[in-house]
Amino acid sequence: MKSLNFSFLITLASFVIKLCCAQTSFSGANNYYIHGLLNDTVGVNEWAADLASYGATLIRLWVTGTGGYQKGNLTNNIPDIEPTLGTYDDTVLEALDTVLSILSTNHLKAIIMPHDGNQLDPSGVGKCDAYCESYGAVGFYSNTPNNTLAPTLASPFDAYAARLEHILNYTSPTFGKPWAELDEVIYAFDIQNEAFIANEQTKALAVANDQAGWTCKTATVMRSLLADGIHITTGGIVNGEDADDGFAILDAALTCDAIDIYAFHGFTTAAEWQSLFIQGNATQTGNKGILVEEWGSQTGHWDFNDISAIFNDNGIPWLYWEVTPGPDDSSQCEEIVQRDYSITTVDPTFAGLLNECQVSFDANELGGYNNANLTALSGAMQAAATATLNPSAAPTP
């Protein structure tokens, strides 16, 4: 594992994806809970239609349970796909399939995230899921389960491969064929969201270049199941060496033939993004496409325009974290303000509600409820749709 030396980033022709002709870049958004809002399919369709009208191409969806308030929206109670190891509940896949049909109607495609690496450590930001409980975070990636925890279970690798096979082979009620064949609406699958992020021990496994081979073995299983038109991305590998972990480069991923796209995640300043994408530099990502899969403009210095311009000027496709439909009428005060980089596709002022809540906020903290920032999102997406795609970037959906 090594940190990306950003003096090597954009142009080495012998290593980049060869594109037959000039193509335009593209953009989109993340939303981890949109499938939990299908009590209001009209609202979800409006959200998708708004993003399409801005110029978005891709939406990143999450195979994760929902419930309670998420960014001001009251979501349906959808259980995790794998409540216990090897036992699957397809409720979340059914909901996501409905979202896929809405995306398709609006001429959008999806990246699907099959598991969140944040759920592998009980002290992390995600909940401790079946893999966390059964194997522990280090055991999951090193394929060496703690036999005290899991004396009779399948190996961690086999268990996760079975999950991926279940998801990819899920037959879409809408489209009538397995997700693994739905290249008309599914652009890519991540191997995992932010692999190795769980704790310092798992980050050390990545720094040591994933000696157990989890990254490429996982991608290879996925490639054996997927149609040729569906890509595989790294999902934002983390190692802990860099100021922003999502900028990490894993050599084991670069040399893995099954991986098509190296996905970066970053919540940092325009200056740090500029150091990553310096026009005229060479790529160190081999024959992998480049995609900024998650980024957010930090609260306290709203530099959305500066950051999005760096991506568009360099022809690098991007997905914003995150774009929401906007808080619903039932939102409580604390739910209204817990935004975490979000921009909404509506433009409510919430002045009355904020006064009622008796809270005051810096203008930057209300970026998602500010028409100027919604306008910035729309403008940046339209700019991406007309920018020339960099030869090193991910292939156009």
PDB file of all heavy atoms in Angstrom, residues 29 57-62 96 99-101 103-104 107-113 182-190 230-231 233 293 319 397:
ATOM      1  N   ALA A  29     -24.952  11.683  -7.824  1.00  0.00           N
ATOM      2  CA  ALA A  29     -25.110  11.893  -6.389  1.00  0.00           C
ATOM      3  C   ALA A  29     -25.230  10.564  -5.664  1.00  0.00           C
ATOM      4  O   ALA A  29     -25.542   9.528  -6.252  1.00  0.00           O
ATOM      5  CB  ALA A  29     -26.357  12.735  -6.124  1.00  0.00           C
ATOM      6  N   THR A  57     -26.123  11.872 -14.174  1.00  0.00           N
ATOM      7  CA  THR A  57     -26.131  10.627 -14.937  1.00  0.00           C
ATOM      8  C   THR A  57     -26.212   9.406 -14.031  1.00  0.00           C
ATOM      9  O   THR A  57     -26.852   8.425 -14.359  1.00  0.00           O
ATOM     10  CB  THR A  57     -24.844  10.527 -15.781  1.00  0.00           C
ATOM     11  OG1 THR A  57     -24.792  11.635 -16.682  1.00  0.00           O
ATOM     12  CG2 THR A  57     -24.809   9.237 -16.588  1.00  0.00           C
ATOM     13  N   LEU A  58     -25.538   9.476 -12.871  1.00  0.00           N
ATOM     14  CA  LEU A  58     -25.402   8.322 -11.985  1.00  0.00           C
ATOM     15  C   LEU A  58     -25.917   8.626 -10.583  1.00  0.00           C
ATOM     16  O   LEU A  58     -25.714   9.730 -10.057  1.00  0.00           O
ATOM     17  CB  LEU A  58     -23.931   7.938 -11.846  1.00  0.00           C
ATOM     18  CG  LEU A  58     -23.287   6.996 -12.852  1.00  0.00           C
ATOM     19  CD1 LEU A  58     -21.823   6.793 -12.493  1.00  0.00           C
ATOM     20  CD2 LEU A  58     -24.005   5.655 -12.881  1.00  0.00           C
ATOM     21  N   ILE A  59     -26.537   7.623  -9.960  1.00  0.00           N
ATOM     22  CA  ILE A  59     -26.950   7.693  -8.568  1.00  0.00           C
ATOM     23  C   ILE A  59     -26.370   6.486  -7.845  1.00  0.00           C
ATOM     24  O   ILE A  59     -26.519   5.347  -8.311  1.00  0.00           O
ATOM     25  CB  ILE A  59     -28.486   7.686  -8.419  1.00  0.00           C
ATOM     26  CG1 ILE A  59     -29.118   8.807  -9.260  1.00  0.00           C
ATOM     27  CG2 ILE A  59     -28.873   7.811  -6.946  1.00  0.00           C
ATOM     28  CD1 ILE A  59     -28.749  10.208  -8.849  1.00  0.00           C
ATOM     29  N   ARG A  60     -25.719   6.715  -6.719  1.00  0.00           N
ATOM     30  CA  ARG A  60     -25.160   5.602  -5.949  1.00  0.00           C
ATOM     31  C   ARG A  60     -26.139   5.199  -4.851  1.00  0.00           C
ATOM     32  O   ARG A  60     -26.507   6.001  -3.991  1.00  0.00           O
ATOM     33  CB  ARG A  60     -23.803   6.002  -5.353  1.00  0.00           C
ATOM     34  CG  ARG A  60     -23.066   4.877  -4.627  1.00  0.00           C
ATOM     35  CD  ARG A  60     -21.628   5.257  -4.408  1.00  0.00           C
ATOM     36  NE  ARG A  60     -20.870   4.302  -3.627  1.00  0.00           N
ATOM     37  CZ  ARG A  60     -20.442   4.513  -2.377  1.00  0.00           C
ATOM     38  NH1 ARG A  60     -20.694   5.681  -1.773  1.00  0.00           N
ATOM     39  NH2 ARG A  60     -19.762   3.600  -1.731  1.00  0.00           N
ATOM     40  N   LEU A  61     -26.548   3.931  -4.903  1.00  0.00           N
ATOM     41  CA  LEU A  61     -27.527   3.374  -3.974  1.00  0.00           C
ATOM     42  C   LEU A  61     -26.849   2.388  -3.028  1.00  0.00           C
ATOM     43  O   LEU A  61     -25.841   1.772  -3.381  1.00  0.00           O
ATOM     44  CB  LEU A  61     -28.630   2.653  -4.751  1.00  0.00           C
ATOM     45  CG  LEU A  61     -29.376   3.478  -5.817  1.00  0.00           C
ATOM     46  CD1 LEU A  61     -30.350   2.588  -6.575  1.00  0.00           C
ATOM     47  CD2 LEU A  61     -30.104   4.652  -5.182  1.00  0.00           C
ATOM     48  N   TRP A  62     -27.452   2.194  -1.865  1.00  0.00           N
ATOM     49  CA  TRP A  62     -26.847   1.368  -0.821  1.00  0.00           C
ATOM     50  C   TRP A  62     -27.745   0.198  -0.449  1.00  0.00           C
ATOM     51  O   TRP A  62     -28.940   0.384  -0.193  1.00  0.00           O
ATOM     52  CB  TRP A  62     -26.584   2.209   0.429  1.00  0.00           C
ATOM     53  CG  TRP A  62     -25.474   3.207   0.282  1.00  0.00           C
ATOM     54  CD1 TRP A  62     -25.259   4.064  -0.765  1.00  0.00           C
ATOM     55  CD2 TRP A  62     -24.423   3.447   1.209  1.00  0.00           C
ATOM     56  NE1 TRP A  62     -24.139   4.821  -0.546  1.00  0.00           N
ATOM     57  CE2 TRP A  62     -23.604   4.466   0.668  1.00  0.00           C
ATOM     58  CE3 TRP A  62     -24.106   2.912   2.447  1.00  0.00           C
ATOM     59  CZ2 TRP A  62     -22.475   4.955   1.318  1.00  0.00           C
ATOM     60  CZ3 TRP A  62     -22.980   3.394   3.109  1.00  0.00           C
ATOM     61  CH2 TRP A  62     -22.176   4.399   2.545  1.00  0.00           C
ATOM     62  N   LEU A  96     -34.986  -1.354  -3.437  1.00  0.00           N
ATOM     63  CA  LEU A  96     -33.997  -0.796  -4.354  1.00  0.00           C
ATOM     64  C   LEU A  96     -34.370  -1.055  -5.805  1.00  0.00           C
ATOM     65  O   LEU A  96     -34.111  -0.222  -6.680  1.00  0.00           O
ATOM     66  CB  LEU A  96     -32.614  -1.369  -4.049  1.00  0.00           C
ATOM     67  CG  LEU A  96     -31.918  -0.815  -2.803  1.00  0.00           C
ATOM     68  CD1 LEU A  96     -30.730  -1.683  -2.422  1.00  0.00           C
ATOM     69  CD2 LEU A  96     -31.489   0.627  -3.015  1.00  0.00           C
ATOM     70  N   VAL A  99     -36.546   1.601  -6.889  1.00  0.00           N
ATOM     71  CA  VAL A  99     -35.774   2.812  -7.166  1.00  0.00           C
ATOM     72  C   VAL A  99     -35.082   2.695  -8.524  1.00  0.00           C
ATOM     73  O   VAL A  99     -35.029   3.661  -9.295  1.00  0.00           O
ATOM     74  CB  VAL A  99     -34.749   3.081  -6.047  1.00  0.00           C
ATOM     75  CG1 VAL A  99     -33.876   4.291  -6.392  1.00  0.00           C
ATOM     76  CG2 VAL A  99     -35.462   3.318  -4.718  1.00  0.00           C
ATOM     77  N   LEU A 100     -34.556   1.519  -8.837  1.00  0.00           N
ATOM     78  CA  LEU A 100     -33.921   1.328 -10.149  1.00  0.00           C
ATOM     79  C   LEU A 100     -34.908   1.612 -11.277  1.00  0.00           C
ATOM     80  O   LEU A 100     -34.542   2.208 -12.304  1.00  0.00           O
ATOM     81  CB  LEU A 100     -33.379  -0.095 -10.279  1.00  0.00           C
ATOM     82  CG  LEU A 100     -32.129  -0.445  -9.471  1.00  0.00           C
ATOM     83  CD1 LEU A 100     -31.791  -1.922  -9.650  1.00  0.00           C
ATOM     84  CD2 LEU A 100     -30.947   0.420  -9.857  1.00  0.00           C
ATOM     85  N   SER A 101     -36.158   1.197 -11.109  1.00  0.00           N
ATOM     86  CA  SER A 101     -37.145   1.461 -12.155  1.00  0.00           C
ATOM     87  C   SER A 101     -37.412   2.954 -12.284  1.00  0.00           C
ATOM     88  O   SER A 101     -37.607   3.466 -13.402  1.00  0.00           O
ATOM     89  CB  SER A 101     -38.446   0.711 -11.860  1.00  0.00           C
ATOM     90  OG  SER A 101     -39.133   1.250 -10.744  1.00  0.00           O
ATOM     91  N   LEU A 103     -35.174   5.326 -11.547  1.00  0.00           N
ATOM     92  CA  LEU A 103     -33.983   5.870 -12.208  1.00  0.00           C
ATOM     93  C   LEU A 103     -34.048   5.636 -13.711  1.00  0.00           C
ATOM     94  O   LEU A 103     -33.748   6.533 -14.509  1.00  0.00           O
ATOM     95  CB  LEU A 103     -32.722   5.228 -11.632  1.00  0.00           C
ATOM     96  CG  LEU A 103     -32.408   5.469 -10.154  1.00  0.00           C
ATOM     97  CD1 LEU A 103     -31.037   4.894  -9.820  1.00  0.00           C
ATOM     98  CD2 LEU A 103     -32.474   6.942  -9.784  1.00  0.00           C
ATOM     99  N   SER A 104     -34.420   4.430 -14.099  1.00  0.00           N
ATOM    100  CA  SER A 104     -34.477   4.104 -15.520  1.00  0.00           C
ATOM    101  C   SER A 104     -35.470   5.001 -16.256  1.00  0.00           C
ATOM    102  O   SER A 104     -35.182   5.478 -17.361  1.00  0.00           O
ATOM    103  CB  SER A 104     -34.873   2.628 -15.695  1.00  0.00           C
ATOM    104  OG  SER A 104     -34.943   2.280 -17.053  1.00  0.00           O
ATOM    105  N   HIS A 107     -33.861   8.140 -17.077  1.00  0.00           N
ATOM    106  CA  HIS A 107     -32.623   8.007 -17.868  1.00  0.00           C
ATOM    107  C   HIS A 107     -31.372   8.170 -17.001  1.00  0.00           C
ATOM    108  O   HIS A 107     -30.377   8.763 -17.420  1.00  0.00           O
ATOM    109  CB  HIS A 107     -32.616   9.008 -19.020  1.00  0.00           C
ATOM    110  CG  HIS A 107     -33.866   8.947 -19.853  1.00  0.00           C
ATOM    111  ND1 HIS A 107     -34.149   7.899 -20.693  1.00  0.00           N
ATOM    112  CD2 HIS A 107     -34.926   9.805 -19.949  1.00  0.00           C
ATOM    113  CE1 HIS A 107     -35.313   8.100 -21.290  1.00  0.00           C
ATOM    114  NE2 HIS A 107     -35.810   9.245 -20.857  1.00  0.00           N
ATOM    115  N   LEU A 108     -31.446   7.617 -15.787  1.00  0.00           N
ATOM    116  CA  LEU A 108     -30.307   7.592 -14.879  1.00  0.00           C
ATOM    117  C   LEU A 108     -29.855   6.153 -14.685  1.00  0.00           C
ATOM    118  O   LEU A 108     -30.632   5.208 -14.845  1.00  0.00           O
ATOM    119  CB  LEU A 108     -30.697   8.177 -13.518  1.00  0.00           C
ATOM    120  CG  LEU A 108     -31.107   9.652 -13.491  1.00  0.00           C
ATOM    121  CD1 LEU A 108     -31.820   9.982 -12.180  1.00  0.00           C
ATOM    122  CD2 LEU A 108     -29.896  10.550 -13.670  1.00  0.00           C
ATOM    123  N   LYS A 109     -28.588   5.973 -14.333  1.00  0.00           N
ATOM    124  CA  LYS A 109     -28.062   4.660 -13.982  1.00  0.00           C
ATOM    125  C   LYS A 109     -27.574   4.666 -12.528  1.00  0.00           C
ATOM    126  O   LYS A 109     -27.436   5.721 -11.912  1.00  0.00           O
ATOM    127  CB  LYS A 109     -26.929   4.250 -14.926  1.00  0.00           C
ATOM    128  CG  LYS A 109     -27.414   3.851 -16.309  1.00  0.00           C
ATOM    129  CD  LYS A 109     -26.293   3.187 -17.119  1.00  0.00           C
ATOM    130  CE  LYS A 109     -26.804   2.669 -18.437  1.00  0.00           C
ATOM    131  NZ  LYS A 109     -25.751   1.927 -19.181  1.00  0.00           N
ATOM    132  N   ALA A 110     -27.290   3.454 -12.016  1.00  0.00           N
ATOM    133  CA  ALA A 110     -26.936   3.312 -10.600  1.00  0.00           C
ATOM    134  C   ALA A 110     -25.583   2.645 -10.417  1.00  0.00           C
ATOM    135  O   ALA A 110     -25.174   1.792 -11.209  1.00  0.00           O
ATOM    136  CB  ALA A 110     -27.999   2.487  -9.879  1.00  0.00           C
ATOM    137  N   ILE A 111     -24.894   3.071  -9.357  1.00  0.00           N
ATOM    138  CA  ILE A 111     -23.832   2.274  -8.744  1.00  0.00           C
ATOM    139  C   ILE A 111     -24.450   1.689  -7.482  1.00  0.00           C
ATOM    140  O   ILE A 111     -25.117   2.394  -6.721  1.00  0.00           O
ATOM    141  CB  ILE A 111     -22.609   3.124  -8.386  1.00  0.00           C
ATOM    142  CG1 ILE A 111     -21.927   3.635  -9.652  1.00  0.00           C
ATOM    143  CG2 ILE A 111     -21.612   2.311  -7.550  1.00  0.00           C
ATOM    144  CD1 ILE A 111     -20.708   4.506  -9.383  1.00  0.00           C
ATOM    145  N   ILE A 112     -24.245   0.412  -7.244  1.00  0.00           N
ATOM    146  CA  ILE A 112     -24.825  -0.242  -6.072  1.00  0.00           C
ATOM    147  C   ILE A 112     -23.722  -0.649  -5.111  1.00  0.00           C
ATOM    148  O   ILE A 112     -22.746  -1.301  -5.501  1.00  0.00           O
ATOM    149  CB  ILE A 112     -25.681  -1.448  -6.476  1.00  0.00           C
ATOM    150  CG1 ILE A 112     -26.890  -0.963  -7.288  1.00  0.00           C
ATOM    151  CG2 ILE A 112     -26.139  -2.234  -5.251  1.00  0.00           C
ATOM    152  CD1 ILE A 112     -27.805  -2.060  -7.769  1.00  0.00           C
ATOM    153  N   MET A 113     -23.882  -0.256  -3.866  1.00  0.00           N
ATOM    154  CA  MET A 113     -22.945  -0.554  -2.796  1.00  0.00           C
ATOM    155  C   MET A 113     -23.498  -1.738  -1.992  1.00  0.00           C
ATOM    156  O   MET A 113     -24.534  -1.628  -1.362  1.00  0.00           O
ATOM    157  CB  MET A 113     -22.784   0.693  -1.916  1.00  0.00           C
ATOM    158  CG  MET A 113     -21.661   0.642  -0.907  1.00  0.00           C
ATOM    159  SD  MET A 113     -21.909  -0.512   0.475  1.00  0.00           S
ATOM    160  CE  MET A 113     -23.390   0.128   1.243  1.00  0.00           C
ATOM    161  N   LEU A 182     -28.333  -6.452 -15.512  1.00  0.00           N
ATOM    162  CA  LEU A 182     -29.093  -5.208 -15.739  1.00  0.00           C
ATOM    163  C   LEU A 182     -28.188  -4.041 -16.138  1.00  0.00           C
ATOM    164  O   LEU A 182     -28.206  -2.973 -15.521  1.00  0.00           O
ATOM    165  CB  LEU A 182     -29.876  -4.829 -14.474  1.00  0.00           C
ATOM    166  CG  LEU A 182     -31.205  -5.532 -14.228  1.00  0.00           C
ATOM    167  CD1 LEU A 182     -31.844  -5.011 -12.955  1.00  0.00           C
ATOM    168  CD2 LEU A 182     -32.153  -5.327 -15.396  1.00  0.00           C
ATOM    169  N   ASP A 183     -27.417  -4.230 -17.204  1.00  0.00           N
ATOM    170  CA  ASP A 183     -26.517  -3.155 -17.593  1.00  0.00           C
ATOM    171  C   ASP A 183     -27.266  -1.948 -18.163  1.00  0.00           C
ATOM    172  O   ASP A 183     -26.689  -0.873 -18.314  1.00  0.00           O
ATOM    173  CB  ASP A 183     -25.452  -3.645 -18.570  1.00  0.00           C
ATOM    174  CG  ASP A 183     -26.040  -4.277 -19.819  1.00  0.00           C
ATOM    175  OD1 ASP A 183     -27.268  -4.498 -19.874  1.00  0.00           O
ATOM    176  OD2 ASP A 183     -25.265  -4.566 -20.743  1.00  0.00           O
ATOM    177  N   GLU A 184     -28.543  -2.092 -18.457  1.00  0.00           N
ATOM    178  CA  GLU A 184     -29.306  -0.945 -18.941  1.00  0.00           C
ATOM    179  C   GLU A 184     -29.597   0.074 -17.844  1.00  0.00           C
ATOM    180  O   GLU A 184     -29.892   1.233 -18.133  1.00  0.00           O
ATOM    181  CB  GLU A 184     -30.622  -1.386 -19.594  1.00  0.00           C
ATOM    182  CG  GLU A 184     -31.596  -2.086 -18.667  1.00  0.00           C
ATOM    183  CD  GLU A 184     -31.503  -3.599 -18.766  1.00  0.00           C
ATOM    184  OE1 GLU A 184     -30.373  -4.116 -18.761  1.00  0.00           O
ATOM    185  OE2 GLU A 184     -32.570  -4.247 -18.833  1.00  0.00           O
ATOM    186  N   VAL A 185     -29.487  -0.343 -16.565  1.00  0.00           N
ATOM    187  CA  VAL A 185     -29.740   0.604 -15.477  1.00  0.00           C
ATOM    188  C   VAL A 185     -28.666   0.543 -14.394  1.00  0.00           C
ATOM    189  O   VAL A 185     -28.482   1.491 -13.639  1.00  0.00           O
ATOM    190  CB  VAL A 185     -31.141   0.371 -14.866  1.00  0.00           C
ATOM    191  CG1 VAL A 185     -31.241  -0.980 -14.166  1.00  0.00           C
ATOM    192  CG2 VAL A 185     -31.526   1.498 -13.909  1.00  0.00           C
ATOM    193  N   ILE A 186     -27.900  -0.543 -14.306  1.00  0.00           N
ATOM    194  CA  ILE A 186     -26.814  -0.643 -13.320  1.00  0.00           C
ATOM    195  C   ILE A 186     -25.491  -0.422 -14.038  1.00  0.00           C
ATOM    196  O   ILE A 186     -25.126  -1.167 -14.953  1.00  0.00           O
ATOM    197  CB  ILE A 186     -26.818  -1.995 -12.594  1.00  0.00           C
ATOM    198  CG1 ILE A 186     -28.118  -2.171 -11.797  1.00  0.00           C
ATOM    199  CG2 ILE A 186     -25.613  -2.100 -11.655  1.00  0.00           C
ATOM    200  CD1 ILE A 186     -28.241  -3.528 -11.123  1.00  0.00           C
ATOM    201  N   TYR A 187     -24.782   0.617 -13.617  1.00  0.00           N
ATOM    202  CA  TYR A 187     -23.492   0.969 -14.210  1.00  0.00           C
ATOM    203  C   TYR A 187     -22.361   0.182 -13.557  1.00  0.00           C
ATOM    204  O   TYR A 187     -21.434  -0.273 -14.237  1.00  0.00           O
ATOM    205  CB  TYR A 187     -23.256   2.460 -14.024  1.00  0.00           C
ATOM    206  CG  TYR A 187     -21.895   2.972 -14.438  1.00  0.00           C
ATOM    207  CD1 TYR A 187     -21.530   3.047 -15.768  1.00  0.00           C
ATOM    208  CD2 TYR A 187     -20.976   3.406 -13.471  1.00  0.00           C
ATOM    209  CE1 TYR A 187     -20.290   3.537 -16.150  1.00  0.00           C
ATOM    210  CE2 TYR A 187     -19.739   3.904 -13.841  1.00  0.00           C
ATOM    211  CZ  TYR A 187     -19.391   3.962 -15.176  1.00  0.00           C
ATOM    212  OH  TYR A 187     -18.159   4.447 -15.540  1.00  0.00           O
ATOM    213  N   ALA A 188     -22.427   0.026 -12.229  1.00  0.00           N
ATOM    214  CA  ALA A 188     -21.322  -0.604 -11.510  1.00  0.00           C
ATOM    215  C   ALA A 188     -21.772  -1.087 -10.145  1.00  0.00           C
ATOM    216  O   ALA A 188     -22.795  -0.634  -9.604  1.00  0.00           O
ATOM    217  CB  ALA A 188     -20.161   0.374 -11.345  1.00  0.00           C
ATOM    218  N   PHE A 189     -20.996  -2.006  -9.594  1.00  0.00           N
ATOM    219  CA  PHE A 189     -21.086  -2.395  -8.191  1.00  0.00           C
ATOM    220  C   PHE A 189     -19.767  -2.061  -7.521  1.00  0.00           C
ATOM    221  O   PHE A 189     -18.685  -2.285  -8.091  1.00  0.00           O
ATOM    222  CB  PHE A 189     -21.322  -3.906  -8.047  1.00  0.00           C
ATOM    223  CG  PHE A 189     -22.728  -4.351  -8.329  1.00  0.00           C
ATOM    224  CD1 PHE A 189     -23.111  -4.687  -9.623  1.00  0.00           C
ATOM    225  CD2 PHE A 189     -23.664  -4.442  -7.313  1.00  0.00           C
ATOM    226  CE1 PHE A 189     -24.400  -5.105  -9.895  1.00  0.00           C
ATOM    227  CE2 PHE A 189     -24.966  -4.859  -7.570  1.00  0.00           C
ATOM    228  CZ  PHE A 189     -25.333  -5.192  -8.865  1.00  0.00           C
ATOM    229  N   ASP A 190     -19.830  -1.527  -6.307  1.00  0.00           N
ATOM    230  CA  ASP A 190     -18.636  -1.417  -5.464  1.00  0.00           C
ATOM    231  C   ASP A 190     -18.314  -2.797  -4.897  1.00  0.00           C
ATOM    232  O   ASP A 190     -19.218  -3.604  -4.659  1.00  0.00           O
ATOM    233  CB  ASP A 190     -18.886  -0.485  -4.276  1.00  0.00           C
ATOM    234  CG  ASP A 190     -19.103   0.956  -4.671  1.00  0.00           C
ATOM    235  OD1 ASP A 190     -18.563   1.396  -5.700  1.00  0.00           O
ATOM    236  OD2 ASP A 190     -19.811   1.666  -3.923  1.00  0.00           O
ATOM    237  N   ILE A 230     -21.318  -4.239 -16.961  1.00  0.00           N
ATOM    238  CA  ILE A 230     -21.400  -3.705 -15.601  1.00  0.00           C
ATOM    239  C   ILE A 230     -20.004  -3.682 -14.994  1.00  0.00           C
ATOM    240  O   ILE A 230     -19.294  -4.689 -15.003  1.00  0.00           O
ATOM    241  CB  ILE A 230     -22.366  -4.535 -14.734  1.00  0.00           C
ATOM    242  CG1 ILE A 230     -23.777  -4.484 -15.333  1.00  0.00           C
ATOM    243  CG2 ILE A 230     -22.377  -4.020 -13.303  1.00  0.00           C
ATOM    244  CD1 ILE A 230     -24.805  -5.315 -14.582  1.00  0.00           C
ATOM    245  N   HIS A 231     -19.611  -2.535 -14.472  1.00  0.00           N
ATOM    246  CA  HIS A 231     -18.260  -2.331 -13.963  1.00  0.00           C
ATOM    247  C   HIS A 231     -18.138  -2.688 -12.476  1.00  0.00           C
ATOM    248  O   HIS A 231     -19.139  -2.822 -11.770  1.00  0.00           O
ATOM    249  CB  HIS A 231     -17.837  -0.876 -14.176  1.00  0.00           C
ATOM    250  CG  HIS A 231     -17.964  -0.426 -15.589  1.00  0.00           C
ATOM    251  ND1 HIS A 231     -17.112  -0.848 -16.587  1.00  0.00           N
ATOM    252  CD2 HIS A 231     -18.861   0.398 -16.201  1.00  0.00           C
ATOM    253  CE1 HIS A 231     -17.461  -0.300 -17.735  1.00  0.00           C
ATOM    254  NE2 HIS A 231     -18.525   0.453 -17.533  1.00  0.00           N
ATOM    255  N   THR A 233     -16.080  -1.252  -9.030  1.00  0.00           N
ATOM    256  CA  THR A 233     -15.269  -0.166  -8.469  1.00  0.00           C
ATOM    257  C   THR A 233     -14.721  -0.556  -7.105  1.00  0.00           C
ATOM    258  O   THR A 233     -15.261  -1.431  -6.423  1.00  0.00           O
ATOM    259  CB  THR A 233     -16.076   1.140  -8.324  1.00  0.00           C
ATOM    260  OG1 THR A 233     -16.615   1.230  -7.004  1.00  0.00           O
ATOM    261  CG2 THR A 233     -17.202   1.241  -9.328  1.00  0.00           C
ATOM    262  N   GLU A 293     -16.135   9.217  -6.181  1.00  0.00           N
ATOM    263  CA  GLU A 293     -17.413   8.576  -5.879  1.00  0.00           C
ATOM    264  C   GLU A 293     -18.141   9.236  -4.706  1.00  0.00           C
ATOM    265  O   GLU A 293     -19.371   9.152  -4.609  1.00  0.00           O
ATOM    266  CB  GLU A 293     -17.169   7.094  -5.588  1.00  0.00           C
ATOM    267  CG  GLU A 293     -18.420   6.254  -5.536  1.00  0.00           C
ATOM    268  CD  GLU A 293     -18.122   4.804  -5.241  1.00  0.00           C
ATOM    269  OE1 GLU A 293     -17.384   4.522  -4.269  1.00  0.00           O
ATOM    270  OE2 GLU A 293     -18.614   3.941  -5.973  1.00  0.00           O
ATOM    271  N   LEU A 319     -19.537  12.099  -7.992  1.00  0.00           N
ATOM    272  CA  LEU A 319     -20.835  11.930  -7.351  1.00  0.00           C
ATOM    273  C   LEU A 319     -20.809  12.677  -6.026  1.00  0.00           C
ATOM    274  O   LEU A 319     -19.939  12.414  -5.184  1.00  0.00           O
ATOM    275  CB  LEU A 319     -21.143  10.449  -7.089  1.00  0.00           C
ATOM    276  CG  LEU A 319     -21.037   9.470  -8.263  1.00  0.00           C
ATOM    277  CD1 LEU A 319     -21.427   8.069  -7.813  1.00  0.00           C
ATOM    278  CD2 LEU A 319     -21.922   9.908  -9.414  1.00  0.00           C
ATOM    279  N   PRO A 397     -21.265   6.250 -18.585  1.00  0.00           N
ATOM    280  CA  PRO A 397     -22.410   5.327 -18.469  1.00  0.00           C
ATOM    281  C   PRO A 397     -23.220   5.282 -19.749  1.00  0.00           C
ATOM    282  O   PRO A 397     -23.332   6.279 -20.447  1.00  0.00           O
ATOM    283  CB  PRO A 397     -23.234   5.920 -17.321  1.00  0.00           C
ATOM    284  CG  PRO A 397     -22.263   6.754 -16.548  1.00  0.00           C
ATOM    285  CD  PRO A 397     -21.299   7.278 -17.545  1.00  0.00           C
TER     286      PRO A 397
END
